[in-house]
Amino acid sequence: MFVLRKEEMSELDKSTMREFSMSSEHLMEIAGKSSVDKIIEICQKQFINPQFLILCGIGNNGGDGFVIARWLNQNSYSCVILLLGDPNKMSQETHKNYSRCQKLNIPIHWIQSDKYIQDIQMNFDVLIDAVFGIGFNGEMDNFFRKVFTIIQERSKLCISIDIPSGIDSNTGNGIQEAIKADYTLTMSSPKLGHFFNRGKDYTGKLIIIDIGIPIYLYDKIKPSINLIDENNVCFPIRYASAHKGDYGKIAIIAGSSGLTGSAILASQACARAGGGLITLFHPASLSNVFECQLVEVMKKVIPEVQGLPDSESLITLLAGYDAILIGPGIGKSDYSKKLLKIVLTGLSKPLVIDADAINILSENRELIDFIKEKPILITPHLGEFSRFTLVDSETLKNDTIEYLFKWTNELNIPILLKSSTSICSFKNLKYLINRGNDGLATGGSGDVLSGIIISFFAQNLKNKQKRYQETLSNEILQELLVESAFSASWLMGYTAEKLSLKRKTPSIIPSDIIANLFVID
C-alpha cells in the first residue's frame, strides 16, 4: 500500500477524472457516500440512534461533508451542519452540494464568530470533521482554534474525513487545537501526515475509503513510499533439511562496562530471530558477565595490544563471518572508536551500524567516507540522526522524509530511521513501518531491533547465496539490508501489539519482545 503526499493525492484525483471523463462532483459523491457507509457501521456499534454534527469548510473537504450530510439524512439520521467560511467562496461542486442540503432542509448554521457558536443549542453524539482535509497549510486563526475547542468538548465521538483538520497531511505537524479524531476516514491511500508528529496522535484509527481509483494510475504518478504490512514483510525462508550454517555466521561487536545489557539483548534477539551461528565479540574485562548471561551465543574476547583493539588479529577473526553488527553498548571511548575504524577500513563485510557506533561516526566525521556506497545499514533514532546530519531535531521533525532521502542518496547506503513510525530508505526503495506501541519506548528496544535485523540479513544472505551460487553485488546486499530492516521493524512492532493484549504497555520490556518473537497464538 502506498503512502501519499497531498500533491500525489491531488494528481491521482485529476488522473482519475481525465481517464474516466469523471467530474470532480462525481468523485466527491463517491467519497461522501462511501464514507457514510463506514460512518454508519462505526456508529451502530456505539449508539442506538446517534445524532450527527457535520463541521464543514468551504473547500472540497467541506464538499465531502455536505455529501455525507445528505446521505445521513437519506438514512433517516438526525444531522446538523456547522459551516465555517463564506459560501460565496466555495468551489462549484462544493456549492452544489451545499445547495442540495438546503433543499433537503438539513439545518445549516453559518458560523462567522466563535461567540455565535456558544448560543447554538447543539445536542449531538458524533462530530464529523470535514473542514480542511489535506488542504490545511499550517496556518489557522483564533476563530478556528476556538470553534474546534468548543465543538470537541461537546462531542462523544469524532470522525475526521481524510485527515484531522489542523494537521498538515505531508508532515503531521499541526496546531494543538486541531481536531483529535477517534477515527479518520481517508480517501484511497494513507497520507504521510497520518504517521508523524501530532498527526500520529490525532488520527485515531485510520480507515481507508476506496473511491474507485484504479491501481494502474498509481504507476503513472509513481508514489515513492510503501506502507509495510503482513503481505510484504520478507521473513527469512526456513528449510526442513537445513543446518546451522544455512542461517548465517554472525559477529556482534557490542558491550562495554556499564552497558553489557545492550550486548546481551542484541545477541539474544539475534538468536531468537533465527540466526545460525552467533558470536559476541567483547572486551576481555567483561568475560565473566557474558559467560554467565549468554548461553546460546558464543563469546570471543576482542584481541588487544596495549589496551586497545589489535587491528590485524581482529580482522583475521572477523574475516570468517557473513555479517557484522557493531554498536550496541560500546560507548564512545578511544577503544570503541578504534573498533569501528578497524571494521570500516579493514573489512568489506555487510555491516549494521547502530547506537554508539553511529554517535562515533557523528563525532569523527572523517569515518563517514568509509561507509559510502557500501553494503552498510545505519539505524539511527531521531536524536542520533540529528547529530549525524548536524540538523537540529525540530528542523528534522518538520521535514523528516526529505532529510532522510537526502542523506540516503548522498551516502548511497540504506538508512533505517527509527521512531514511533519508522522509515527505511535506499535509492527508490522507501518503506514506512507503522506498527508497535509505547511499550517499545524504553531503553534496550533499539538493541533488540538491531539483533533481529542482523539475524534476518544473515539468513536472507545465505538463502540468496544458496540460490545463485555466486558473489552478490553490493546493490543486492544493500537491498537485502533494506528488506531485513523493515521486516525486523514490522515484527518488533507487531510483537509489542500482541503483548499489549496480555499486559499493559508500561510493563513491556525488551526481553519480553525477545521472548515473544514469532510466538503463535
Side-chain angles (χ1 to χ4, degrees), residues 20 26 58 124 190 211 317 332 342 350 353 442 456 507 516:
F20 296 97
H26 187 188
I58 59 174
F124 68 96
I211 60 173
L317 285 173
K332 298 187 291 180
I342 291 168
I353 298 176
T442 187
F456 279 7
S507 71
N516 286 275

Side-chain angles (χ1 to χ4, degrees), residues 3-7 9 132-138 162-164 166-173 186 190-196:
V3 180
L4 302 180
R5 295 178 172 88
K6 68 177 75 174
E7 297 81 7
M9 188 66 235
F132 294 124
I134 64 173
F136 180 68
N137 61 9
D162 242 346
I163 194 165
I167 300 295
D168 186 291
S169 64
N170 279 353
T171 67
N173 292 321
T186 196
K191 313 305 181 294
L192 279 172
H194 292 133
F195 303 108
F196 297 100

Side-chain angles (χ1 to χ4, degrees), residues 194-210:
H194 292 133
F195 303 108
F196 297 100
N197 301 316
R198 188 160 273 147
K200 175 91 172 181
D201 294 320
Y202 280 41
T203 292
K205 183 176 181 180
L206 183 64
I207 297 173
I208 311 302
I209 300 298
D210 185 356

Side-chain angles (χ1 to χ4, degrees), residues 27-41:
L27 206 58
M28 186 178 288
E29 187 72 19
I30 295 172
K33 175 60 170 66
S34 300
S35 295
V36 162
D37 293 340
K38 182 56 67 173
I39 289 167
I40 292 174
E41 179 186 324

Side-chain angles (χ1 to χ4, degrees), residues 157-263:
L157 180 75
C158 178
I159 301 174
S160 286
I161 306 303
D162 242 346
I163 194 165
S165 292
I167 300 295
D168 186 291
S169 64
N170 279 353
T171 67
N173 292 321
I175 63 168
Q176 185 174 351
E177 298 88 351
I179 299 293
K180 192 168 187 179
D182 297 292
Y183 295 85
T184 294
L185 312 184
T186 196
M187 306 305 142
S188 297
S189 294
K191 313 305 181 294
L192 279 172
H194 292 133
F195 303 108
F196 297 100
N197 301 316
R198 188 160 273 147
K200 175 91 172 181
D201 294 320
Y202 280 41
T203 292
K205 183 176 181 180
L206 183 64
I207 297 173
I208 311 302
I209 300 298
D210 185 356
I211 60 173
I213 293 179
I215 296 296
Y216 75 88
L217 289 182
Y218 283 85
D219 294 333
K220 289 191 174 183
I221 69 165
K222 294 181 170 55
S224 58
I225 302 173
N226 287 275
L227 180 65
I228 295 299
D229 60 25
E230 60 272 14
N231 297 314
N232 50 19
V233 288
C234 302
F235 295 144
I237 299 170
R238 307 286 289 190
Y239 300 95
S241 61
H243 57 78
K244 58 192 176 186
D246 290 328
Y247 298 129
K249 193 173 181 183
I250 302 160
I252 297 176
I253 303 172
S256 60
S257 180
L259 298 171
T260 54
S262 295

Side-chain angles (χ1 to χ4, degrees), residues 25 40 86 111 133 178 244 298 397 448 483-484:
E25 182 184 349
I40 292 174
D86 186 348
I111 307 300
K244 58 192 176 186
M298 294 178 285
K397 282 182 181 179
V448 173
E483 291 178 358
S484 302

